[in-house]
Every structure is written in structure tokens, then in C-alpha cells.
Amino acid sequence: MADNKTQDKKKHYISRSESRQIAKENSKAISFYEKQKKRKVKPEEYTTEMKDDKNIVEFEDLHTYFFSDAGTVKAVNGVTFSIPAGSTVGVVGESGCGKSVTSLSLMQLVQAPSGQIVKGSIRFKADLFKRDAKGKKIPVYETEIDENGEEKVKLNEKGKPIIKKNELGGNLYEMESRVVDIAKMPTEAMRSIRGREIAMIFQEPMTSLNPVFTIGNQLDEVGKLHIEGISKQRVKERSIEMLKLVGIADPEGVYKKYPHELSGGMRQRVMIAIALLCNPKLIVADEPTTALDVTIQAQILDLLRDIKGKINGSIMLITHDLGVVAEMADFVVVMYAGKVIEMGTAEDIFDHPMHPYTIGLQKSKPTVDSQVDELYCIPGFVPNPINMPDYCYFRDRCEKCLEKCAGEYPKLIKVSDTHSVSCYLYDGAEVKKNG
């Protein structure tokens, strides 16, 4: 018995020489990836093509690791799924499955230097500024017809050409549609997309909003940063417009307040207003209803649904609440231990769940039409992300385990046009859907 305890301790013990080796390898890897992010390259180097033109984002074999003192944590370990334009995709799974790290990888906001995208692609259909030979943006000028009937550029009192204004009140520049690989983009290039083309609603507004600045200051900052040439007055007007859009009754009053003066629901609305200020194509909502009461949750979800229709955008909704996903999502991606284990339409996942983990998640959710003494709990624990097994990560917790589950990790099998599952229960056999 004592020998067994000693062996268990040794499993979790790192010697001094192993610790030095891990630190050396981490330093080498981090240095390499940080240099990649700081490099200066032409846009052609990270330009790519969509596999399906109907998608706005395509994740393919994405790996995002954290280089810790105990070893490499494989937080996202080969994730592949797509977000169709104009749709809501719900990403679900228990805490620590890699949902938030996937979204932070899309935003290039993984906590560096320990966190790095090490492999894979994130293809995004972006509208980028056209550049001249010197790498400067190409403005669109106002024109007028002269006395000879010819079109010429309009000049201001100082004799300089007048740049046209866009719908947000900033300078208008020539744009081009380009598919970029965010995983390969340098940080400098990503700044023209983050906040303008892709916006994120963070999980906890109280920690995301700065307590020492007013709501107006924080909204205005986004406008000044991403809308070049916008006036102070127009920035303020735009900020108040957004506060009205998210259903705040007294936008002028809230504009002058500090975050601590607002309720949780109001702060979440402010976060949504900040995300929407530049009319993004894609909104990443990372558990937007966490820590809110049920009534406010419903209001926030209704608000997101209405706004999605108004801006004709897409939403990547990250949550562990299956009720929220059932109400909001068109497509659902189920993640476990850094991998996608099932994905399909909301109907596929909720009416015909196939993976034992997905079935277990649904069983663990309380329902109003059934009476149970104790909620179902998936047995066992998630494997250690530093020493992941070679076989299916869910094998040790699965109640339907087969002999071949001890073999290599199961591939994602397509069981219908919209439904895919990573499980040996459906490998090479006729699929029988759970009803």
C-alpha cells in the first residue's frame, strides 16, 4: 500500500533536471512564436482562401498551447469547425474544455508569452484597407463638377483635398475583400481587424470595464482608435447611439457614469455597445449571461438576437448553458478536453445527441417536466492537459466504452450532411440516432 502511494507521488513529481529541461524548451518555443508575431511581412504571406465561400470563419486543426513550468498544456488540441455568415454558432462544454481559448485565439488575445498558437489555421473573410506603394491607406476624395463639366477633387479652404466620410463619420478609404489566416498574421496587421471586423463581449463586465474611467470615455476610446478622422462630437454621438441601441433608457446619463454605478445587466449592455460600435461582421460572445439573473439573461439574449438581425452579422456564442444554446444557436459545437467531439445543427445536437459526453451533458441539465431526487453526473475527471492519453480522452469516463476505444483517438465521422461525431460507437456501422 505504501509502495503504491510512493508511485502515485512520483507520477506528479518533477525533478530539478526535468524542470530545467522544461524551462529550456519553453524559452526556445516562446521565443520562436513571439518572433513570428512581430515579423514584418506583406499581406500576401497570410492571405488564403475559404474552403466554403458561405463561411465567415473557418478553424482548421487549431492547436493553442500554454508553456507552463510543469509542461505544455494543450488547451486547444486540433479544433476544426466553421461559422457560416449570418448564423449563430454555439460552442459548449464543461469548464476547461477550450471554448474561451478558441475564441481568444481568433482574437489573437491568448495570454502571451506562455500562451501561443502553435499550429493550424483560422481563416477569416475580412474587408481590409487598400494600400499604395508606400503602404499607406488610399483615401476616397469628394468630387465636384467644374465649369467645363469635368469631375475634379473638391478642395478645402487650405487647398487640400477633402476626404469623404463613411457611415460612422470617419474618413472613407478604398477597401478590398481578402481572406486572411489569423493564426499566421503578425500582431500589427491583426490590429486593423480586432475591434473593427471582429468584436468580443467578454465574460465578466465588472473586470473588463476600467473602474477609473467613465462609460463614455471607454466607448469613445473604441471609436477614436478604429474610426480614423472622426470628430470628438461625432464620437460622442455614436457612443450614445450605441447605448440607445442596446436598450439603455437614459443613454446620456449612463455615458457620464462609472462602471460601479451600474447594475450587472447594465454593465453587460455597455459591453455589447462597445463591441458593436464599429459595426463588426462577427461578434464573439464569451458567456455573456454569466452571473446575471434569469430575467436579465433573457433580455441580453433577446438583445443579441435583435442586433444580429440589424447588423446582418454572425455570432460565436460560448457558454456551458445548454438552455442558452438551444434558444440562440443555429449550429452547435461540443468540445471536450481541447477537441471537438460532436457538431451539427441545434436540432441534431438536442434531438439526436450521439456522443456519450453530449448525452451526459443533456442528462445533467434539470428540466421542469421531470422530478428527480438527484441530477445525473458524468463520472470521473477530465484528463490532465499536460499528459493527454493517446486514446479517446473520454474513454475513462464513458459508460459505453468499447475495446477499440483504447486505440488511437477516434476521427470526426460525418453521420449526415450537417452532423459529425468523434466516437467509435459509430465507426463503420449504420448510425442509429438517439431519439
Side-chain angles (χ1 to χ4, degrees):
M1 188 75 175
D3 289 340
N4 288 338
K5 285 184 178 178
T6 306
Q7 290 296 323
D8 288 339
K9 281 184 179 179
K10 283 183 178 178
K11 282 182 186 177
H12 303 287
Y13 176 75
I14 298 173
S15 68
R16 190 177 294 177
S17 61
E18 286 174 328
S19 180
R20 280 199 296 264
Q21 183 62 27
I22 288 169
K24 187 178 177 181
E25 289 172 2
N26 286 353
S27 178
K28 187 178 177 182
I30 288 168
S31 177
F32 172 77
Y33 294 117
E34 284 296 304
K35 280 179 183 175
Q36 289 291 102
K37 289 194 285 189
K38 291 173 183 174
R39 74 195 193 284
K40 292 185 178 179
V41 294
K42 291 181 179 178
E44 287 72 25
E45 278 204 31
Y46 50 82
T47 300
T48 182
E49 289 183 1
M50 285 287 189
K51 285 196 172 178
D52 185 346
D53 204 47
K54 293 177 183 175
N55 295 329
I56 190 165
V57 175
E58 292 177 349
F59 294 89
E60 186 175 3
D61 195 30
L62 178 67
H63 292 70
T64 302
Y65 296 169
F66 289 88
F67 298 96
S68 74
D69 293 339
T72 304
V73 178
K74 298 177 179 179
V76 174
N77 195 16
V79 163
T80 300
F81 69 92
S82 303
I83 301 175
S87 69
T88 299
V89 174
V91 183
V92 299
E94 60 194 326
S95 296
C97 71
K99 308 183 300 293
S100 293
V101 177
T102 301
S103 68
L104 291 170
S105 300
L106 170 62
M107 299 291 290
Q108 271 199 16
L109 288 176
V110 178
Q111 190 171 1
S114 61
Q116 301 288 344
I117 299 170
V118 302
K119 186 182 172 186
S121 300
I122 307 172
R123 295 184 288 273
F124 175 67
K125 197 181 287 183
D127 289 326
L128 300 177
F129 295 106
K130 275 190 179 179
R131 305 274 176 173
D132 59 19
K134 294 180 180 178
K136 292 183 178 179
K137 299 173 192 171
I138 304 171
V140 177
Y141 296 110
E142 287 188 22
T143 57
E144 60 183 355
I145 306 299
D146 63 11
E147 60 273 8
N148 299 322
E150 293 180 0
E151 190 177 41
K152 67 173 186 177
V153 175
K154 203 172 181 181
L155 304 176
N156 61 17
E157 298 139 357
K158 295 180 180 178
K160 292 184 178 180
I162 300 171
I163 301 174
K164 277 187 180 180
K165 295 293 180 183
N166 59 27
E167 57 182 1
L168 300 177
N171 293 339
L172 183 64
Y173 295 94
E174 289 187 28
M175 308 294 289
E176 59 180 343
S177 186
R178 188 190 289 265
V179 178
V180 295
D181 188 346
I182 289 173
K184 294 180 176 63
M185 283 182 86
T187 305
E188 191 62 39
M190 183 63 193
R191 289 195 182 113
S192 66
I193 292 176
R194 189 197 301 124
R196 187 178 63 85
E197 295 271 286
I198 311 172
M200 190 163 184
I201 303 165
F202 291 95
Q203 189 168 346
E204 178 47 65
M206 195 62 209
T207 55
S208 302
L209 293 169
N210 194 321
V212 300
F213 291 106
T214 63
I215 297 301
N217 271 332
Q218 296 181 63
L219 279 159
D220 291 352
E221 183 184 19
V222 177
K224 289 171 186 173
L225 183 65
H226 294 291
I227 309 169
E228 193 175 319
I230 193 167
S231 65
K232 283 185 181 179
Q233 183 59 33
R234 179 60 190 134
V235 162
K236 184 177 178 180
E237 287 171 6
R238 177 67 181 166
S239 297
I240 291 170
E241 276 173 30
M242 298 316 298
L243 292 174
K244 281 181 185 173
L245 181 67
V246 297
I248 289 175
D250 179 24
E252 289 85 0
V254 169
Y255 180 88
K256 296 173 186 175
K257 287 184 178 179
Y258 289 88
H260 71 271
E261 297 180 272
L262 307 178
S263 67
M266 292 277 271
R267 285 195 292 266
Q268 193 62 280
R269 287 170 188 270
V270 169
M271 289 298 299
I272 295 169
I274 290 172
L276 296 173
L277 200 135
C278 296
N279 287 349
K281 285 182 176 180
L282 175 67
I283 301 164
V284 181
D286 187 1
E287 304 201 23
T289 57
T290 299
L292 300 178
D293 63 64
V294 178
T295 309
I296 302 299
Q297 278 188 27
Q299 290 175 6
I300 295 297
L301 293 177
D302 287 341
L303 174 63
L304 282 172
R305 203 167 19 239
D306 292 344
I307 284 168
K308 175 178 163 282
K310 286 177 183 175
I311 66 171
N312 195 27
S314 306
I315 296 176
M316 179 179 173
L317 178 66
I318 295 156
T319 183
H320 55 257
D321 189 333
L322 293 173
V324 169
V325 173
E327 189 179 340
M328 284 285 294
D330 303 309
F331 300 93
V332 182
V333 175
V334 184
M335 287 185 69
Y336 179 75
K339 282 186 177 287
V340 173
I341 52 104
E342 187 170 1
M343 60 182 175
T345 62
E347 184 183 352
D348 289 332
I349 300 300
F350 287 96
D351 294 346
H352 311 290
M354 303 184 78
H355 198 285
Y357 176 68
T358 311
I359 296 166
L361 281 180
Q362 294 202 28
K363 278 186 188 175
S364 64
K365 187 179 185 297
T367 55
V368 292
D369 57 351
S370 63
Q371 288 185 341
V372 289
D373 295 328
E374 191 176 329
L375 282 174
Y376 175 79
C377 178
I378 299 171
F381 301 95
V382 180
N384 185 344
I386 294 174
N387 299 308
M388 298 300 274
D390 297 328
Y391 50 82
C392 174
Y393 299 162
F394 193 64
R395 174 179 172 263
D396 297 332
R397 304 178 71 187
C398 186
E399 295 170 349
K400 299 180 180 179
C401 192
L402 303 174
E403 278 186 30
K404 53 184 170 182
C405 293
E408 64 175 305
Y409 194 92
K411 293 178 181 176
L412 207 62
I413 304 159
K414 204 163 188 180
V415 295
S416 75
D417 290 340
T418 57
H419 199 173
S420 301
V421 63
S422 173
C423 184
Y424 279 120
L425 288 171
Y426 312 99
D427 185 20
E430 188 179 338
V431 174
K432 185 180 179 182
K433 289 189 173 182
N434 295 293

